[in-house]
Amino acid sequence: MLKITELGFPSQANDLVLYGIRDKQYVSNLDRDAQIADRRKLLEIAIQVRSSIYGPNDHRLAPFIRQYGDEFEAGGNLDEAKKQIERSFVVAKPITDDIRASQQIELAQFYLRHQMREKMYESFNSAVALCHGHISNSVARNFSYITKAYSTSSYGGNPEKMISTLLANGDDDVVAILDPQIDVLVNNYIDSGSLSRAEKLLRQRVDTSDNCKSDPNGNEWRLRLSDTLLALGRDAESNKLFDQVRSATALTGGSVAQMVSKREELLERLGKAGQAKSSQQKATGH
């Protein structure tokens, strides 16, 4: 049947065969281990059939080998699972570094699922290196999956180390995809009183903005950094950054009224209300 499917419906063979194996309905009430072993045997047959038709290293084997690895992982045989995952990468014959980077992220996710943190970071860093300083949109999305997974309760990790690495090696696509996670981290740091940690991450985000061709949120992050610096007592640096954003906004015809109003409110809360007038006078020259 597998050979008939492969020869008769080559363009649909992947979906037909893999769907049938993954969602096979069992008549008897087999236990989980028996079901995994059954699916693994079916995949072995599928791989043999496909190999006999196309050859043992044909790229069309990749999804079957990858699923084969999944069944070993489900059964707890992690060494064999990793072996099959890496074999599927080889058979897929990636032709770009972006694809290779995505494969390394997939391997990092495998390590993360099994609490192998050191190996996870090795694969993660290998993926970053393959991007050569420009992380494309598709790869950035893959990176965001693992940073989100790392921060879930089941893993209990702080993804800031990974996010910092991505900010140091990325530009437009990275900030567009990571901004929601950075926002959550910064807010958590501020709410918990960890202003120095918030300042560090905000500065990294602002530095990455300088590498972007287009960063619509760039000035918003600069203002948040300025506010945090003000709360840390670094008034001169904060005022300089605020004035730069205000001047740039006015230069492009944007309104600065709301920006100035929020600044005055913050200065009032911090007991520095007198600075608002002084800063305004310096900006206008009066």
Side-chain angles (χ1 to χ4, degrees), residues 23-92:
D23 300 306
K24 179 175 172 54
Q25 298 298 313
Y26 294 91
V27 177
S28 59
N29 187 25
L30 298 175
D31 62 35
R32 181 174 179 275
D33 289 342
Q35 291 184 23
I36 291 171
D38 196 11
R39 288 196 297 270
R40 198 159 59 222
K41 184 61 179 177
L42 290 172
L43 284 162
E44 287 175 4
I45 295 170
I47 292 168
Q48 289 172 1
V49 170
R50 181 160 275 202
S51 295
S52 70
I53 297 172
Y54 302 113
N57 296 310
D58 188 86
H59 67 92
R60 283 164 286 199
L61 282 165
F64 291 86
I65 296 171
R66 184 65 184 81
Q67 182 64 36
Y68 191 46
D70 287 347
E71 298 303 336
F72 278 109
E73 182 179 357
N77 189 339
L78 301 186
D79 289 339
E80 189 62 32
K82 175 178 176 291
K83 176 182 175 182
Q84 296 303 325
I85 291 172
E86 292 180 327
R87 182 186 171 203
S88 73
F89 294 165
V90 172
V91 171

Side-chain angles (χ1 to χ4, degrees), residues 138-155:
S138 61
V139 180
R141 289 187 182 281
N142 289 332
F143 274 123
S144 74
Y145 297 148
I146 192 168
T147 56
K148 288 175 182 176
Y150 193 69
S151 63
T152 60
S153 58
S154 59
Y155 301 121

Side-chain angles (χ1 to χ4, degrees), residues 5-255:
T5 300
E6 194 68 59
L7 294 174
F9 308 95
S11 63
Q12 303 174 47
N14 279 10
D15 292 338
L16 289 172
V17 176
L18 287 176
Y19 179 85
I21 292 174
R22 289 170 184 157
D23 300 306
K24 179 175 172 54
Q25 298 298 313
Y26 294 91
V27 177
S28 59
N29 187 25
L30 298 175
D31 62 35
R32 181 174 179 275
D33 289 342
Q35 291 184 23
I36 291 171
D38 196 11
R39 288 196 297 270
R40 198 159 59 222
K41 184 61 179 177
L42 290 172
L43 284 162
E44 287 175 4
I45 295 170
I47 292 168
Q48 289 172 1
V49 170
R50 181 160 275 202
S51 295
S52 70
I53 297 172
Y54 302 113
N57 296 310
D58 188 86
H59 67 92
R60 283 164 286 199
L61 282 165
F64 291 86
I65 296 171
R66 184 65 184 81
Q67 182 64 36
Y68 191 46
D70 287 347
E71 298 303 336
F72 278 109
E73 182 179 357
N77 189 339
L78 301 186
D79 289 339
E80 189 62 32
K82 175 178 176 291
K83 176 182 175 182
Q84 296 303 325
I85 291 172
E86 292 180 327
R87 182 186 171 203
S88 73
F89 294 165
V90 172
V91 171
K93 297 180 177 65
I95 58 174
T96 68
D97 281 345
D98 272 4
I99 294 175
R100 293 185 179 90
S102 293
Q103 290 178 339
Q104 286 301 309
I105 298 169
E106 185 179 343
L107 193 58
Q109 289 172 322
F110 168 81
Y111 288 131
L112 180 58
R113 287 196 295 274
H114 301 286
Q115 301 294 319
M116 302 163 73
R117 307 283 175 102
E118 187 173 335
K119 288 184 176 295
M120 179 206 70
Y121 276 118
E122 288 177 5
S123 293
F124 177 88
N125 290 330
S126 293
V128 172
L130 285 164
C131 294
H132 308 295
H134 173 71
I135 301 174
S136 67
N137 183 273
S138 61
V139 180
R141 289 187 182 281
N142 289 332
F143 274 123
S144 74
Y145 297 148
I146 192 168
T147 56
K148 288 175 182 176
Y150 193 69
S151 63
T152 60
S153 58
S154 59
Y155 301 121
N158 185 329
E160 183 180 342
K161 179 179 178 181
M162 288 188 286
I163 288 175
S164 295
T165 299
L166 294 173
L167 288 175
N169 290 274
D171 40 43
D172 303 64
D173 291 324
V174 163
V175 297
I177 288 172
L178 292 182
D179 268 1
Q181 287 179 268
I182 298 172
D183 179 61
V184 170
L185 281 172
V186 168
N187 287 336
N188 287 343
Y189 289 150
I190 291 174
D191 291 343
S192 65
S194 301
L195 293 181
S196 294
R197 296 186 71 177
E199 184 256 334
K200 177 183 176 183
L201 185 54
L202 284 166
R203 192 176 296 281
Q204 290 171 332
R205 173 60 180 85
V206 168
D207 288 345
T208 303
S209 182
D210 295 337
N211 298 326
C212 295
K213 295 178 181 178
S214 175
D215 182 12
N217 299 322
N219 278 339
E220 179 183 337
W221 289 107
R222 291 181 179 91
L223 288 175
R224 292 179 72 174
L225 174 58
S226 174
D227 289 349
T228 304
L229 289 169
L230 193 66
L232 285 167
R234 292 155 64 179
D235 297 5
E237 186 180 3
S238 172
N239 290 333
K240 180 180 179 180
L241 186 56
F242 176 81
D243 289 340
Q244 287 174 347
V245 174
R246 179 172 56 185
S247 297
T249 302
L251 190 63
T252 57
S255 173

